[in-house]
Amino acid sequence: MGQQGWTHWVHKRKWEMRLAVVVTLAVGILLGTLISDGVRAARDNPTPAGAQTLTVASPQQLSSIFAEVARKLEPTVVNINTESYRSTQRRRARPRQRIPWPFEDFFDFDSGRPQTERSLGSGVIVDPDGYILTNYHVVYGAGKIADRIRVGLYGENESYDAEVVGWDQETDLAVIKIDVGRKLPAATLGDSDAVQVGDWVLAIGSPFGLSATVTAGIISYKGRSGQRISGPSSQFQRFIQTDAAINRGNSGGPLVNLAGEVIGINTAIMSRNGVSAGVGFALPSSLAVRVYNQIVEHGRVVRGSIGIEFSSADSENKAILRSFGADHGVIINKVRPASPAEKAGLQVHDVITHVGGTPIHTGDELVEKVTSTPVGQEVKIRYLRDEKERVTTAVVEDFSKIYAERYEDSLTPERAQEASVELGLTLEEVSPAMARRSGLEEEDVGLLVAEVEPGSFADEIRMLRGDLILEVNRQRVLTLREFRAVQRKLGPGSDVVFWVMRRGRRNWVRLRLGGTLPE
């Protein structure tokens, strides 16, 4: 290509490039106009049916809800102070007795004055007439219901004496009442079954004695087994778990939802040092309502039982169930003698699959079904034995009667003293470690006499503090339960002979003390 041709080609390409730029600009202007009109049209037209615009929640909105709930509930929350006295009174008309080591640890020789045990807790007013729902362990101290319970109201410096209406050890709930001469603000109990994991909640109470303290958190878990928290005997407890801070003194206070309703009673925490670690537990309001109503109406809680024991883990293990020929149910591990289950013919290794026509998949379902059945009512039970289905009926009985020893074993020396009023003794069980420290052989361990009531039968037969009771009427007694079993057989005019050990100047001596109970 010559010089003239090359110049002509470059000149032609310049015009083509200029044309391309002009076309590009024109197209850009056109598209911009269309987009601008589209946006303007979108602004002018309403939102299409069914569509919702998105908004960012204001932090102030949630904060305002918390504040409103706190203002509503704080006047209904009370702080509870209890005092329990452990008697250490010396006997009258007797010289001071020397108590053999190491048993002197049970006694206060310096003052002879009662020892006082104090505790703090919370509660929530549920009735304007002064009825308060709290925890059993708040009003129980020094081995008995507290001798004095004082209730402080929100915004008041004065406190009021409270009386105990009733309690339920199995669920750790109690009802107390105060009389202030006026109607009180009362909280509304909500539906704990309706709450969901992730819901916001507030815990209100008096941690460490700091009244009207409010903390916030969420529901972390529903239906947490009480056996994981309070021990294997807590089969009637199902907890709401929350990360709202709960500490000592919060017990008995309410856990509330954002509607201002009580959906739980704060009861326990899981912590290595006794301070909140974000794992707190509240008894659900659905349970609290049932317990409260029975206490107020009947003075105690009556729940049904058929007298069987089982392991909840067995019902969750499909391999174990298949080995019994079942795909669901509860496997019986023990049948109580003379219980409704034994009378109905149920045996160990039977698998209960239905109660009253309701399928049973877990131990919780079995407990709920049986305990909610009125005492004295028959229930139809379907079960598997040797992989064959059978049917029987059982009459539901009172749980406290079938498992009477649970309540007897829970008696402490002070409550045992009430049961032993005819004899005038307060007794303590001696641990094997204490026996070894005192140089006693295993066959010499008995019940330690912690107190002798002046003028009582025990006083008349010359029983002394520090004596060790080995036998009563030739029956060995190592525990308070065994002692009470013998005592129940006694009556006015009965002869009672104690075989005891008493520490002499150099060694222990054995002697018999006896007499006849007054008629």
Side-chain angles (χ1 to χ4, degrees), residues 172-361:
D172 195 13
L173 289 170
V175 179
I176 62 176
K177 184 179 185 300
I178 58 174
D179 185 4
V180 299
R182 67 178 190 275
K183 295 293 184 180
L184 295 172
T188 300
L189 273 72
D191 183 5
S192 57
D193 295 334
V195 302
Q196 301 180 42
V197 173
D199 285 353
W200 281 100
V201 288
L202 300 182
I204 308 177
S206 304
F208 309 111
L210 303 173
S211 61
T213 297
V214 181
T215 58
I218 63 170
I219 300 295
S220 308
Y221 191 90
K222 287 180 61 179
R224 185 71 72 189
S225 171
Q227 296 180 356
R228 293 285 305 277
I229 301 161
S230 306
S233 62
S234 306
Q235 60 176 306
F236 302 107
Q237 294 178 326
R238 297 293 176 271
F239 288 99
I240 296 173
Q241 182 178 325
T242 178
D243 66 351
I246 297 175
N247 286 289
R248 294 174 180 173
N250 273 113
S251 291
L255 187 71
V256 301
N257 59 21
L258 295 193
E261 301 168 332
V262 177
I263 50 94
I265 300 297
N266 300 321
T267 300
I269 63 173
M270 189 168 287
S271 171
R272 294 183 177 180
N273 58 9
V275 178
S276 175
V279 185
F281 303 95
L283 290 163
S285 58
S286 58
L287 172 65
V289 166
R290 292 198 300 269
V291 171
Y292 174 86
N293 288 339
Q294 287 205 51
I295 289 176
V296 171
E297 294 174 9
H298 309 295
R300 71 184 187 98
V301 175
V302 179
R303 50 175 59 88
S305 175
I306 59 173
I308 66 168
E309 298 177 17
F310 57 87
S311 171
S312 298
D314 291 346
S315 301
E316 301 170 359
N317 192 314
K318 297 301 182 183
I320 293 177
L321 287 172
R322 284 194 295 268
S323 71
F324 286 86
D327 59 3
H328 72 278
V330 171
I331 304 169
I332 298 176
N333 289 345
K334 183 178 181 180
V335 178
R336 299 280 296 185
S339 66
E342 184 182 67
K343 297 173 184 177
L346 293 173
Q347 301 177 7
V348 173
H349 302 317
D350 288 347
V351 184
I352 297 177
T353 59
H354 296 76
V355 175
T358 301
I360 301 298
H361 295 86

Side-chain angles (χ1 to χ4, degrees), residues 24-306:
T24 300
L25 290 173
V27 171
I29 293 171
L30 178 61
L31 289 176
T33 303
L34 292 175
I35 292 173
S36 177
D37 291 344
V39 171
R40 187 181 301 110
R43 290 175 178 173
D44 295 339
N45 293 333
T47 303
Q52 295 182 351
T53 58
L54 300 179
T55 59
V56 177
S58 169
Q60 295 181 349
Q61 183 178 2
L62 187 58
S63 177
S64 298
I65 294 175
F66 286 172
E68 180 60 31
V69 172
R71 281 193 295 269
K72 178 181 179 182
L73 267 295
E74 279 179 333
T76 71
V77 181
V78 302
N79 64 294
I80 301 174
N81 294 267
T82 68
E83 292 183 358
S84 302
Y85 311 128
R86 184 185 296 275
S87 175
T88 59
Q89 179 182 0
R90 297 192 187 98
R91 297 184 57 205
R92 297 193 303 264
R94 292 279 178 86
R96 175 171 164 176
Q97 304 157 5
R98 179 180 179 273
I99 304 301
W101 179 89
F103 303 127
E104 66 267 21
D105 293 341
F106 282 102
F107 308 104
D108 177 9
F109 294 113
D110 294 329
S111 65
R113 293 174 297 181
Q115 298 174 348
T116 301
E117 181 177 309
R118 296 179 174 85
S119 66
L120 300 172
S122 304
V124 57
I125 302 171
V126 295
D127 186 300
D129 288 331
Y131 287 89
I132 297 168
L133 192 57
T134 185
N135 282 133
Y136 168 70
H137 74 259
V138 169
V139 299
Y140 183 88
K144 59 182 178 180
I145 293 297
D147 293 287
R148 189 180 190 188
I149 302 173
R150 299 284 290 175
V151 172
L153 299 178
Y154 176 76
E156 296 188 18
N157 294 325
E158 184 180 0
S159 59
Y160 303 87
D161 284 317
E163 62 174 316
V164 178
V165 179
W167 65 87
D168 180 41
Q169 290 177 249
E170 302 295 335
T171 56
D172 195 13
L173 289 170
V175 179
I176 62 176
K177 184 179 185 300
I178 58 174
D179 185 4
V180 299
R182 67 178 190 275
K183 295 293 184 180
L184 295 172
T188 300
L189 273 72
D191 183 5
S192 57
D193 295 334
V195 302
Q196 301 180 42
V197 173
D199 285 353
W200 281 100
V201 288
L202 300 182
I204 308 177
S206 304
F208 309 111
L210 303 173
S211 61
T213 297
V214 181
T215 58
I218 63 170
I219 300 295
S220 308
Y221 191 90
K222 287 180 61 179
R224 185 71 72 189
S225 171
Q227 296 180 356
R228 293 285 305 277
I229 301 161
S230 306
S233 62
S234 306
Q235 60 176 306
F236 302 107
Q237 294 178 326
R238 297 293 176 271
F239 288 99
I240 296 173
Q241 182 178 325
T242 178
D243 66 351
I246 297 175
N247 286 289
R248 294 174 180 173
N250 273 113
S251 291
L255 187 71
V256 301
N257 59 21
L258 295 193
E261 301 168 332
V262 177
I263 50 94
I265 300 297
N266 300 321
T267 300
I269 63 173
M270 189 168 287
S271 171
R272 294 183 177 180
N273 58 9
V275 178
S276 175
V279 185
F281 303 95
L283 290 163
S285 58
S286 58
L287 172 65
V289 166
R290 292 198 300 269
V291 171
Y292 174 86
N293 288 339
Q294 287 205 51
I295 289 176
V296 171
E297 294 174 9
H298 309 295
R300 71 184 187 98
V301 175
V302 179
R303 50 175 59 88
S305 175
I306 59 173

